[in-house]
Amino acid sequence: MRRMKNFGPFSPRIHGILHGADYNPDQWLDRPDILEQDIQLMHQSGMHVMSIGIFSWAKLEPAEGQYDFLWLDMILDRLYAEGISVILATPSAALPAWMSQAYPEVLRMDENRVRHLHGGRQNHCFTSPVYREKVRTIDTLLAQRYGRHPAVIAWHVSNEFEGYGCHCPLCQEAFRSFLKARYHDDLEALNHAWWTSFWSHTYRDWSEIESPSPIGEHEMHGLTLDWHRFVSAQTLDFLREECRALRAVALHLPLTTNFHDFVQLERGLDYWKLAEELDVISWDDYPYWHADKHSDAEEAARRAFIHDMNRSFKQGKPFLLMESSPSATNWQPVAKLRRPGMHALASIQAVAHGADTVQYFQWRKSLGGSEKFHGAVVDHNCDDPVHVADTRVFREVTALGRDLDRLLDIVGTSVAPEVAIIYDWENAWILADTQGPRQEGLDYFDTCVRHYKAFWDRGVAVGVINADQDLSRYKLVIAPMLYMVRPGFGAKIEAYVQAGGHFVTTYWSGIADETDLCFTTGRPGPLRRVLGIWSEEIDVLYDSDIHHVGGYEARLFCDLIHTESAETVLTYDDDFYAGRPALTCNRYGAGEAWYIAFRSYDTFLSDFYDARIRAYGIEQALDVDLPEGVTATIRADEEHCFCFLQNFTDRKQSLRLKAPMQDLLTGKQVQTLEMDPYSYHILS
Ligand code: GLA
Ligand code: ZN
């Protein structure tokens, strides 16, 4: 088995997996008894860490230039005295009302060019010099006052940067500067890249360029792509300014920002770019369990995919599960209570994929405000001391904490996958924007997860990367629907396969370049030679249409290809293209490159990848056939090895190991495992 060197803890002051929550004592400053109760309950539940100050600006700076840090001094001192660590946030994700009133430029303008009123959060302009200065000032003050506070172990910069962007005049100017730099001051190069001769959209001056808008330009995909790039770059620039302010004073503290849980993935920021600035990755995981439209196992695979992506951002370095709900949310369409066991299982899943913390939003439910019904460790009943900790959620959290405390040596261990799936943000943006043969149902993210699940089902570790990453460490690289192929990627894949790598891609790949100009050398463009095929045209189907390929169903996309050097493995059974290739394999150098020309929702991917796993000798976490809905993952370093078995079904499952292993939580040797619904075992 491949093992990685231990990455060490993200902060030298921690030992073991941290268990904690977002804590908002600033909502309860008039209730010292509640603050006291918090401390007691934190001890009772065995929590080690609290994230504080995420939305505290109005308390920290109640009026411009007037600061109040006394309450925070008091809280940090108390937590430190009680042995509880703090991840201290900068408050830039929600600005105080006085600022919006005094400086309207700090408020965001939307794509319809409407300036938003004060309210909500993530509501600021990320270009505004006034806003940046205010953020710099408060961050510097926090760093000066708390950078050396013994309770503080890390910075939590802002909160969930997301990709909506601001369209105010300041941002328009910043966008133009970004474009000038990107196109080396050459407006003709931009005109060509965006193909502006179409519909007479040629620009004669940089000042004519405006960000995309539903009431203006929004179908010029070179523009929309560059706008997405700009929003990511400008957000990174904003993040950097915060990081600089903190590091200038408190360089020793690791720095993170909590990434979103990808619900708006296709519009979102390119987190690969932001990741470079951070010392440690963290993200907020809000699964949709017990849903009516997907199974818990499907949701678990989707979550596992995102965990693996977060671990991959820093080449395997463990990440923090910064937020998760210990019970329900208040924003999912129907937020069923988590069934017994599910909370602990979902938390262990994060650890199994590389998390070194399990943290919640939130410690205590607020009495008012938009999230008063969002799950929390402690419910509303603070004045009922008999029952405040006597709840199912509190008991499950406490029990999970005891399991986490047994995993001391897991800190810093990681996963060394032999398989990588490419989920590329720029590709996601353009797939969402471009107007091709099917306007809906492209489902890039879900398609990647469907490929991923074949590995999840078999307990095979996967890295989730973008197209810019090094591929040499993988035995198998899969790039579903890689519509955009950026310069260099074709040659990289050729070299990878030539040297013995295995590559799989699908229909709707190799169509256009990094500005969405179509390739002129025949689809799939730069991937044509390594795949040994030529795609002449692509047929798309209605949702209800079912075609067939060698006993499997073909749905939605049927690429009509010709083999060049590739061998045909399966052919279409239906329609005017019956008999034409649907699955091909091209031996190229010492490796091979596969082209899956159709989409399928049945067992095709599972069977296909099962054969690849065997053929390429790809390792599974356990050498057993896992029951449906059960997965296994390994975290290891040169000394330790932890194997997590997770049952994401509401049924009991049993399996027999090839040889006895030690159950870390009970200390017993086990060979036959009886798994309860929604349960886990940790073996070593
Ligand atoms: C996000 C935010 C939190 C909270 C939760 C609710 O992750 O970061 O402040 O709003 O959602 O699920
Ligand atoms: Zn702006």
Side-chain angles (χ1 to χ4, degrees), residues 28 37 50 127 139 181 187 314 325 387 457 502 505 544 562 564 607 633:
W28 299 88
Q37 188 185 64
M50 291 289 141
T127 302
D139 286 5
L187 193 55
K314 286 204 171 291
S325 173
H387 295 108
D457 285 337
H502 309 102
T505 188
S544 54
H562 304 273
E564 291 177 323
D607 294 348
T633 53

Side-chain angles (χ1 to χ4, degrees), residues 22 54-55 121 156 159-160 258-261 284-286 323 325 329-331 361 370-371 374:
D22 278 18
I54 300 166
F55 298 110
R121 55 179 176 173
H156 177 301
N159 193 69
E160 288 192 342
N258 52 336
F259 286 162
H260 209 278
D261 96 324
D284 302 343
D285 182 22
Y286 290 99
E323 291 181 25
S325 173
T329 66
N330 70 328
W331 50 263
F361 179 86
S370 88
E371 294 183 320
H374 193 288

Side-chain angles (χ1 to χ4, degrees), residues 285-304:
D285 182 22
Y286 290 99
Y288 198 167
W289 300 127
H290 318 310
D292 53 348
K293 297 201 172 65
H294 57 252
S295 71
D296 286 329
E298 282 163 345
E299 182 65 357
R302 169 195 290 260
R303 297 288 139 181

Side-chain angles (χ1 to χ4, degrees), residues 469-499:
Q469 305 306 303
D470 173 34
L471 307 176
S472 57
R473 68 172 94 163
Y474 303 109
K475 288 185 179 169
L476 171 61
V477 172
I478 302 160
M481 296 176 79
L482 194 66
Y483 169 97
M484 174 197 291
V485 175
R486 291 193 288 276
F489 184 79
K492 179 161 84 172
I493 285 293
E494 284 180 8
Y496 166 73
V497 177
Q498 183 82 43

